[in-house]
């Protein structure tokens, strides 16, 4: 097999799934958030669609209108470095309306108050 010097010295081709990324979001309030590649994709989609709300994660939320900077800080092979804990949180998924209603009724029952009928 005939290979050129460049082909022989090239490492195995890696695809995007082999890499992890650390993204940074800075808000007007000077809040700085570190995101994983997947979290950053959610922010990118929201920005591209022109959404004006917030993206909620388990312990923090990013308000789209207040983003002043959004950029990739690092890219590295998976398992080569560990991302911060907040950068690995999944997006917040709200409770189903049925589960919320049951939870709410249970809380009101435990504190001894009647459940409001307007919600």
């Amino acid at each position: 097999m005939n290979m050129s010097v460049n082909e022989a010295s090239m490492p195995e081709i890696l695809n995007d799934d082999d890499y992890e990324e650390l993204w940074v979001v800075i808000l007007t309030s000077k809040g700085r958030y570190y995101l994983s590649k997947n979290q950053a994709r959610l922010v990118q989609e929201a920005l591209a669609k022109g959404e004006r709300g917030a993206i909620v994660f388990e312990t923090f939320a990013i308000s789209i209108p207040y983003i002043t900077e959004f950029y990739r800080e690092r890219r590295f092979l998976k398992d080569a470095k560990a991302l911060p804990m907040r950068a690995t949180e999944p997006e917040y998924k709200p409770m189903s309306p049925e589960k919320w209603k049951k939870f709410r009724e249970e809380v009101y029952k435990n504190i001894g108050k009647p459940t409001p009928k307007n919600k």
Side-chain angles (χ1 to χ4, degrees), residues 51-78:
E51 293 181 15
R52 303 303 299 160
I55 298 173
V56 182
F57 297 97
E58 289 291 326
T59 62
F60 67 102
I62 295 174
S63 184
I64 302 298
Y66 298 103
I67 293 175
T68 57
E69 293 183 51
F70 177 55
Y71 59 91
R72 184 175 71 193
E73 189 169 276
R74 280 188 245 150
R75 186 171 196 232
F76 48 87
L77 285 172
K78 282 189 177 177

Side-chain angles (χ1 to χ4, degrees), residues 22-107:
L22 181 64
W23 287 75
V24 178
V25 174
I26 300 175
L27 304 178
T28 55
S29 65
K30 305 294 186 241
R32 184 181 195 95
Y33 298 93
Y34 295 98
L35 306 177
S36 69
K37 178 171 52 176
N38 292 336
Q39 290 173 324
R41 297 296 179 263
L42 291 171
V43 174
Q44 287 173 336
E45 286 178 28
L47 290 170
K49 290 178 182 176
E51 293 181 15
R52 303 303 299 160
I55 298 173
V56 182
F57 297 97
E58 289 291 326
T59 62
F60 67 102
I62 295 174
S63 184
I64 302 298
Y66 298 103
I67 293 175
T68 57
E69 293 183 51
F70 177 55
Y71 59 91
R72 184 175 71 193
E73 189 169 276
R74 280 188 245 150
R75 186 171 196 232
F76 48 87
L77 285 172
K78 282 189 177 177
D79 301 324
K81 295 185 183 218
L83 289 169
M85 288 302 292
R86 281 179 115 179
T88 57
E89 287 183 5
E91 183 179 11
Y92 176 75
K93 301 288 186 207
M95 282 186 200
S96 68
E98 298 83 26
K99 188 174 179 181
W100 171 247
K101 184 178 178 185
K102 185 177 177 181
F103 173 76
R104 189 168 174 237
E105 289 171 355
E106 187 67 29
V107 169

Side-chain angles (χ1 to χ4, degrees), residues 2-13:
N2 253 344
M3 287 182 23
S4 70
V5 174
N6 286 341
E7 290 173 332
S9 63
M10 286 180 61
E12 179 180 320
I13 304 234

